[in-house]
Amino acid sequence: MTPRRFVVSLLGSALFARAYTLTSLTAVFSSFLIERMMSPVSLTTIIGALAVIGAAVLVVRREELSLLRLAPTSLLGFLLLALLSVLWSSDRGGTVAGWFTLLGYAVIAITIGHVRDTLQTVRAIGDTLRWLLSLSLALEIVFGILLDTPFRLLGIEGSLAVGGPVQGIFGTRNMLGFIAVIALITFVIEWRTQSIGRVAGVLSVALGGSLALFSASPTVVVLAAAVGVATVALVIVRHTPAHRRSAVQVALGGLVVLGLIVAFALRHQIIRLLDAGSDFSTRADLWNMMLDFIAQRPITGYGWFGPWPRGEYPFTYINFLLSDHHQSALNAYFDLLLQLGWAGLALFVVLGGVALVRSWLVASVRRSVVYAWAPLVLVTLGVESMFESFALTSTGWLLLVLCALRAGQTRSWRESIDAAHTGAIPALGSERPPLPGATGS
């Protein structure tokens, strides 16, 4: 076998698809750990290499792929706008670097979405998060109980003995809480689909739940409530007869809108209940300050950067006025308004909103509970985006692209075009089968 055929055979194999998925997920979910233990350059190199390898995998499997279904149109539009923002950015080099970072994570997510099906993806994320959360708990036990001293390099304060807050290997308590909620969704679905045994399921849920609790993150309570409501609503829809399902969906949508109105009206009481007054006050001051700068460039923003760069207007000036050192807007929607304006925010909402609707409709009609993973993760991302900008960087961005791609594979106008070419009739909520050679655990 020639070297070229060997490489092509390797990139197209099932074992490589599984190894690539696990390696990529581990690198992305542990990005803070890699950056602190090695360097930002090392993390960039790893993500870049994984993106190049992912692109090579897609090229090798090009005959098995549909160009129309390669990526959601809204994702391509968002990436295009972020790239075009180099034209009005104050730091074109920084914008290009930020865009390549955005693209790198997107390519990794697209590759995973095409070489693994939904169940395989859930199992890979579950395996990855079990190891990383276990490592986080082990480090918190070592530095919080056994040594009783902070580990400054990873931001571990050693507060486990007093009940938290803990950060694990994820940098902040809010990030740990967000990862823990994603992990809980994944672990429960693994358990329900019998991908893991009862003992492993119980231990996994206990691990995720305990770290979510010890993170002491106010957003965890909000995320847990949102995911709980979404889960109950999805269960109701799934058990409703088909001829009544549309009416139930409309009624539930109305209840959600009413709930949001009530939550907004009682926001001050909710903030006091969650003991999040200082956190919310910090965010409110930041958002109010940002509105003045957003008003100067409401349509296009100041150019895409991702995490706030040092020394660039208006990011450094906002921190100067607030006497703070924020690295984001602590809100994905405000961050988009500042960097890409209303145009960027609209594309982002379309990307996430269309993915949520598609995945929700699929989960409503498909028997397997595995299809509930995407809409529940999207709900988590949407709610978390009100308090953090995780959905625009690394882990959050990868999950958003992965869910959007999965939703586009199951319900999309592309299915009709593909069906017209092949003569097949797309089934409602059907998922594109995994590529040849992509089967296996």
Side-chain angles (χ1 to χ4, degrees):
M1 181 182 294
T2 63
R4 181 178 181 277
R5 286 191 175 184
F6 173 77
V7 172
V8 170
S9 176
L10 176 65
L11 293 177
S13 66
L15 289 177
F16 187 85
R18 183 173 187 272
Y20 175 84
T21 300
L22 290 173
T23 302
S24 299
L25 291 174
T26 301
V28 172
F29 280 105
S30 59
S31 57
F32 178 81
L33 175 66
I34 295 172
E35 186 173 352
R36 284 300 183 92
M37 298 300 292
M38 300 174 71
S39 69
V41 174
S42 299
L43 175 62
T44 301
T45 302
I46 291 171
I47 296 302
L50 288 170
V52 170
I53 294 172
V57 170
L58 296 177
V59 170
V60 168
R61 295 174 177 268
R62 61 188 179 277
E63 295 182 358
E64 304 159 0
L65 299 173
S66 168
L67 184 60
L68 285 173
R69 296 168 62 148
L70 184 63
T73 306
S74 52
L75 170 63
L76 299 178
F78 183 83
L79 289 173
L80 178 60
L81 178 63
L83 179 59
L84 290 176
S85 69
V86 71
L87 299 176
W88 56 84
S89 170
S90 60
D91 180 9
R92 295 186 175 182
T95 296
V96 171
W99 183 81
F100 271 111
T101 301
L102 200 68
L103 179 65
Y105 285 104
V107 170
I108 293 172
I110 290 171
T111 303
I112 294 174
H114 281 295
V115 302
R116 309 301 280 171
D117 63 24
T118 303
L119 181 58
Q120 291 168 340
T121 301
V122 170
R123 292 182 63 183
I125 293 176
D127 290 341
T128 301
L129 292 183
R130 259 186 294 277
W131 281 105
L132 296 182
L133 289 178
S134 297
L135 176 60
S136 293
L137 182 59
L139 289 174
E140 290 290 350
I141 290 174
V142 169
F143 291 98
I145 297 178
L146 300 181
L147 300 180
D148 192 22
T149 183
F151 185 23
R152 300 299 184 189
L153 183 62
L154 293 183
I156 294 176
E157 299 295 335
S159 304
L160 183 61
V162 295
V166 301
Q167 300 82 26
I169 64 170
F170 301 103
T172 66
R173 61 175 182 167
N174 285 346
M175 187 62 178
L176 174 61
F178 168 70
I179 295 294
V181 172
I182 295 294
L184 284 171
I185 295 171
T186 306
F187 295 157
V188 170
I189 289 181
E190 281 187 300
W191 190 358
R192 288 291 308 277
T193 57
Q194 299 182 345
S195 298
I196 56 176
R198 178 177 298 179
V199 174
V202 171
L203 292 177
S204 297
V205 172
L207 173 65
S210 61
L211 284 175
L213 180 64
F214 284 122
S215 72
S217 171
T219 61
V220 166
V221 179
V222 180
L223 290 179
V227 172
V229 171
T231 301
V232 171
L234 194 54
V235 169
I236 293 173
V237 172
R238 286 169 60 87
H239 288 81
T240 299
H243 65 280
R244 296 180 180 176
R245 193 167 291 145
S246 297
V248 172
Q249 299 270 34
V250 172
L252 290 173
L255 288 176
V256 169
V257 173
L258 179 61
L260 292 174
I261 295 174
V262 172
F264 180 78
L266 301 177
R267 61 191 182 280
H268 298 296
Q269 292 88 332
I270 294 174
I271 292 170
R272 284 196 296 270
L273 180 64
L274 297 177
D275 193 25
S278 60
D279 286 347
F280 186 81
S281 176
T282 299
R283 284 166 168 76
D285 292 341
L286 174 60
W287 299 338
N288 287 332
M289 180 66 66
M290 288 176 60
L291 287 175
D292 294 333
F293 293 90
I294 291 171
Q296 297 176 20
R297 294 190 181 182
I299 305 300
T300 60
Y302 292 85
W304 174 258
F305 290 92
W308 287 12
R310 294 182 179 180
E312 287 301 321
Y313 182 87
F315 311 103
T316 300
Y317 192 44
I318 292 173
N319 279 327
F320 171 75
L321 294 175
L322 294 173
S323 299
D324 214 321
H325 52 278
H326 296 294
Q327 297 180 336
S328 73
L330 301 179
N331 182 301
Y333 308 113
F334 273 98
D335 235 333
L336 284 166
L337 282 174
L338 185 66
Q339 299 192 43
L340 293 179
W342 284 102
L345 178 61
L347 285 171
F348 181 80
V349 170
V350 169
L351 173 62
V354 171
L356 177 59
V357 171
R358 285 174 173 170
S359 60
W360 184 275
L361 292 176
V362 171
S364 301
V365 299
R366 295 303 295 268
R367 177 173 297 182
S368 176
V369 72
V370 73
Y371 293 100
W373 180 81
L376 293 181
V377 169
L378 286 168
V379 167
T380 305
L381 285 168
V383 174
E384 182 69 23
S385 293
M386 293 188 294
F387 308 102
E388 297 286 353
S389 297
F390 297 153
L392 302 178
T393 58
S394 62
T395 302
W397 174 246
L398 179 134
L399 289 172
L400 175 61
V401 174
L402 186 57
C403 289
L405 178 66
R406 189 67 66 202
Q409 290 173 340
T410 51
R411 288 183 71 97
S412 172
W413 55 268
R414 297 171 179 84
E415 283 189 311
S416 300
I417 296 178
D418 286 341
H421 283 253
T422 61
I425 300 176
L428 178 63
S430 61
E431 179 176 12
R432 179 178 175 271
L435 299 173
T439 57
S441 62

